[in-house]
Amino acid sequence: MERQPAQTSDREVGDTVEARLLHRPLQHADLPAVADVRRLLRESLTHWGVPALADTAVLLTTELVTNALRHTDRGAVLTATLSTVSIMSAVSTVATPPVPRLRVEVRDFTTRHPRLRAPSTHGTSGRGLQLVQSLADAWGVRAEGDGSGKVVWFELDAAPS
């Protein structure tokens, strides 16, 4: 199978980086590409200055990419974006200092949504979305407006130092 190259970019506004992007198309059933995705994401997060997000981001991305490649009949597209956001406190109207937020999206070409399952004690699969639900700051599934598929996504916030 022919591997698609990853694209990375930094969008800058003056001296401030607004968003950083990793974009990687994946071929159907190319499970060896999952290792490439892990490496690219870890390298990107280190380059972007948030290596502390790498372990969790790589684990959750592996789950989403593997699900897309195993359970759909076409490829998928990985997009990871690091942006900076201000988070408002529920008890205060004062925003905290900006926090880096990673959003990872895996787009596939089936409308069938994944569902959380309760795996059996001895089962060898079925835990991926439970990991995403447990470790991500936010996650979800969004149908593509044109009916051509869906995006499964998660977000991680970098801990303030």
Side-chain angles (χ1 to χ4, degrees):
M1 292 190 164
E2 180 181 334
R3 297 259 168 98
Q4 298 292 319
Q7 299 171 352
T8 60
S9 66
D10 293 345
R11 286 189 1 225
E12 296 187 21
V13 179
D15 294 331
T16 305
V17 175
E18 184 178 80
R20 294 169 174 176
L21 176 72
L22 170 64
H23 183 78
R24 172 75 155 71
L26 301 156
Q27 299 296 318
H28 168 65
D30 186 9
L31 293 178
V34 177
D36 291 338
V37 165
R38 285 194 293 263
R39 179 187 53 77
L40 286 168
L41 183 58
R42 186 174 298 280
E43 288 173 358
S44 295
L45 293 172
T46 298
H47 174 72
W48 296 341
V50 288
L53 292 178
D55 289 341
T56 302
V58 165
L59 174 65
L60 300 184
T61 300
T62 298
E63 293 298 333
L64 296 188
V65 168
T66 301
N67 283 348
L69 296 180
R70 288 185 67 200
H71 299 295
T72 65
D73 59 358
R74 289 178 55 194
V77 178
L78 166 76
T79 304
T81 308
L82 182 72
S83 58
T84 304
V85 296
S86 292
I87 301 173
M88 298 294 289
S89 167
V91 295
S92 170
T93 58
V94 177
T96 63
V99 174
R101 174 176 286 167
L102 176 68
R103 182 177 178 99
V104 173
E105 298 183 345
V106 177
R107 182 187 193 283
D108 64 40
F109 301 94
T110 181
T111 57
R112 187 177 57 250
H113 283 222
R115 58 185 173 82
L116 284 166
R117 297 187 325 204
S120 69
T121 305
H122 301 291
T124 59
S125 64
R127 292 172 179 81
L129 287 179
Q130 288 183 342
L131 285 171
V132 174
Q133 182 178 39
S134 296
L135 299 175
D137 291 308
W139 79 281
V141 180
R142 178 184 79 239
E144 289 295 313
D146 61 3
S148 65
K150 68 181 173 300
V151 173
V152 183
W153 60 271
F154 69 85
E155 293 180 346
L156 297 173
D157 293 332
S161 41

